[in-house]
Amino acid sequence: MIIELSHRITEGMTTYPGIPGPVLGTHLSREDSREVYAEGTEFHIGTITLTANTGTYLDTPYHRYAEGPDLSQLPIERMADLPGLVVRAEGRPSVGLDLLRELDVRGRAVLLHTGWDRHFGTDAYLRDHPYLEPEAAAWLAEQGAALVGIDSLNIDATPPKGERPAHTLLLAAGIPLVEHLTGLARLPVSGFRFHAAPPMIVGLGTFPVRAYAVVRAA
């Protein structure tokens, strides 16, 4: 079974405060294409202008560190066909080490299920969101998690001009992040493979992904 874990991208949507929403356009309309192709054949070629941090997206180390690998350099093995592990943290203001220390996270995509995705697209989503505590981020880096994701606004707390310890620690360890996930409530705690691969774009550190999980039959 395949479970969708991404938000839809729509024109003008707000993903993060201050980041402009995407703008959809048309390069070649179906009407104009009739002048290009044989009679009865028509196509639509669209355009999109968007900030790389739109919808459900992946952060590479380059997002935080100029010398880190960008979208074109991060190995596909760090983003696709990863054994997954869900950490249940609904109703908690943050995800602490107490939820993690008994888990085997090495080589796994660790997905933090806070339930905050229920607010996506509303003002409530943009404030007082759950996040990963610094000590927990350090532990995940030390234990060798392959990827860390969260269904919240940010994996870090987001006070004005605040530090970003989870980004700093995990991306320094080469661990990609996926933010703004959704649908984690539908996943089992384990027994699934996680996929969230963006295009290979040189010079970008983040980009939207079609995140999903493949759950093996019981």
Side-chain angles (χ1 to χ4, degrees), residues 143-197:
Q143 296 297 313
L147 175 150
V148 180
I150 193 168
D151 58 354
S152 179
L153 179 76
N154 199 293
I155 201 165
D156 279 301
T158 54
K161 296 189 177 180
E163 296 180 347
R164 298 291 188 267
H167 281 84
T168 297
L169 292 163
L170 293 168
L171 294 176
I175 300 171
L177 309 175
V178 180
E179 295 173 310
H180 309 280
L181 286 164
T182 189
L184 297 182
R186 299 181 60 201
L187 292 179
V189 169
S190 60
F192 64 91
R193 311 291 291 190
F194 179 75
H195 305 257

Side-chain angles (χ1 to χ4, degrees), residues 42 58 62 65 74 94 115 118 122 137 149 157-158 176 179 189 192 197 217:
E42 61 183 43
L58 179 137
Y62 184 77
Y65 300 101
L74 191 67
S94 60
R118 68 184 182 276
T122 72
T158 54
E179 295 173 310
V189 169
F192 64 91

Side-chain angles (χ1 to χ4, degrees), residues 32-182:
D32 290 343
S33 76
R34 295 168 189 162
E35 303 298 322
V36 179
Y37 302 102
E39 183 176 354
T41 302
E42 61 183 43
F43 295 94
H44 176 270
I45 301 177
T47 64
I48 184 168
T49 301
L50 83 168
T51 304
N53 291 40
T54 296
T56 303
Y57 56 82
L58 179 137
D59 294 347
T60 69
Y62 184 77
H63 178 50
R64 175 67 176 80
Y65 300 101
E67 69 278 10
D70 64 14
L71 293 169
S72 71
Q73 298 165 325
L74 191 67
I76 190 69
E77 293 82 6
R78 301 306 301 266
M79 304 174 285
D81 200 25
L82 295 168
L85 179 67
V86 174
V87 178
R88 303 293 184 199
E90 291 180 277
R92 294 177 57 125
S94 60
V95 181
L97 188 54
D98 60 307
L99 293 179
L100 302 174
R101 59 165 54 96
E102 302 299 325
L103 303 177
D104 178 11
V105 301
R106 185 167 299 278
R108 296 189 178 192
V110 180
L111 308 181
L112 310 177
H113 173 215
T114 71
W116 205 248
D117 57 324
R118 68 184 182 276
H119 298 302
F120 190 81
T122 72
D123 289 341
Y125 187 77
L126 308 178
R127 59 180 184 272
D128 301 324
H129 62 88
Y131 61 93
L132 180 64
E133 296 176 10
E135 296 81 5
W139 186 87
L140 286 169
E142 292 167 2
Q143 296 297 313
L147 175 150
V148 180
I150 193 168
D151 58 354
S152 179
L153 179 76
N154 199 293
I155 201 165
D156 279 301
T158 54
K161 296 189 177 180
E163 296 180 347
R164 298 291 188 267
H167 281 84
T168 297
L169 292 163
L170 293 168
L171 294 176
I175 300 171
L177 309 175
V178 180
E179 295 173 310
H180 309 280
L181 286 164
T182 189

